[in-house]
Amino acid sequence: EALSATTHHSRPIGAKFNVNDNQTDVQVAFADGFRFLLASDASLRALNDRLLCNNPAANGTGVPRRGGPLVVPMRAFRPNIAVGAANRWSLLPWEEDLWHTVRVGKEMVCRGTKPCSRCGIPTVDPLTGQRFGGENEPTATLRACRQVKGDVCFAQNLIHATAEMGARNYVATVSVADVVTV
């Protein structure tokens, strides 16, 4: 049997995460929570600026870091949609938290559901399996600046809005360098 979001493998989004009161039957499948995770370069840049400002030599620990200050790459957050801007200053940090409708390329329309509450995974580099500098970063810095309803947050959870609008087996093609519009 081919797996799809329309088979018994889907489940409803929890009511506390459904920010659109008009839609109570939103489904997700094959994800721990949501289909897509969108993060912006502006938010990552703001986080890394805070990491550097905390203490460039010791990163807030009092102990100098080997290799210099900690800079966390986007891959730490595992987004499947990373948004940059043609003009570095045209995106504001954490702006993606407020995006309700997002079009990726020509075919895919998504709906923002909520900021992504983070577990300890972003403290581990997916390329090496090692903690970033052996510290609890970037979670500790995010805890100081990015709590939403008590959760440490980075990036925005999205669901595939086009499929919600009635196209049960809707397929959209998304490519690297697709334009993202809000």
Side-chain angles (χ1 to χ4, degrees):
E1 168 189 15
L3 298 179
S4 74
T6 59
T7 66
H8 63 277
H9 302 285
S10 64
R11 64 176 174 77
I13 289 177
K16 74 177 187 175
F17 300 126
N18 191 354
V19 296
N20 186 342
D21 295 330
N22 298 330
Q23 291 186 319
T24 57
D25 61 344
V26 177
Q27 300 282 312
V28 294
F30 312 119
D32 64 346
F34 297 91
R35 294 176 184 161
F36 305 103
L37 180 63
L38 180 144
S40 76
D41 287 345
S43 297
L44 182 65
R45 201 169 32 254
L47 171 62
N48 281 321
D49 287 349
R50 283 184 179 265
L51 285 166
L52 292 172
C53 288
N54 283 347
N55 188 330
N59 222 21
T61 64
V63 178
R65 289 181 34 76
R66 287 191 310 249
L70 176 66
V71 175
V72 177
M74 185 65 83
R75 69 178 177 265
F77 296 98
R78 282 86 166 163
N80 47 15
I81 303 172
V83 178
N87 175 342
R88 175 182 173 149
W89 306 112
S90 63
L91 271 178
L92 297 174
W94 328 121
E95 182 179 339
E96 64 268 27
D97 291 357
L98 306 175
W99 295 350
H100 297 289
T101 303
V102 178
R103 177 178 292 276
V104 182
K106 295 178 182 176
E107 300 176 2
M108 189 169 78
V109 178
C110 294
R111 184 167 60 84
T113 58
K114 70 175 201 71
C116 182
S117 54
R118 305 313 305 216
C119 62
I121 291 295
T123 65
V124 178
D125 187 333
L127 297 180
T128 66
Q130 302 296 311
R131 286 191 176 265
F132 288 109
E135 302 159 5
N136 192 28
E137 290 292 3
T139 305
T141 296
L142 286 170
R143 185 171 288 113
C145 69
R146 288 292 301 148
Q147 288 197 42
V148 178
K149 296 182 181 179
D151 290 333
V152 174
C153 293
F154 187 92
Q156 169 75 291
N157 290 298
L158 302 175
I159 56 175
H160 193 205
T162 313
E164 288 176 27
M165 295 186 270
R168 291 188 62 65
N169 291 315
Y170 185 82
V171 176
T173 300
V174 176
S175 301
V176 172
D178 272 353
V179 173
V180 174
T181 54
V182 180

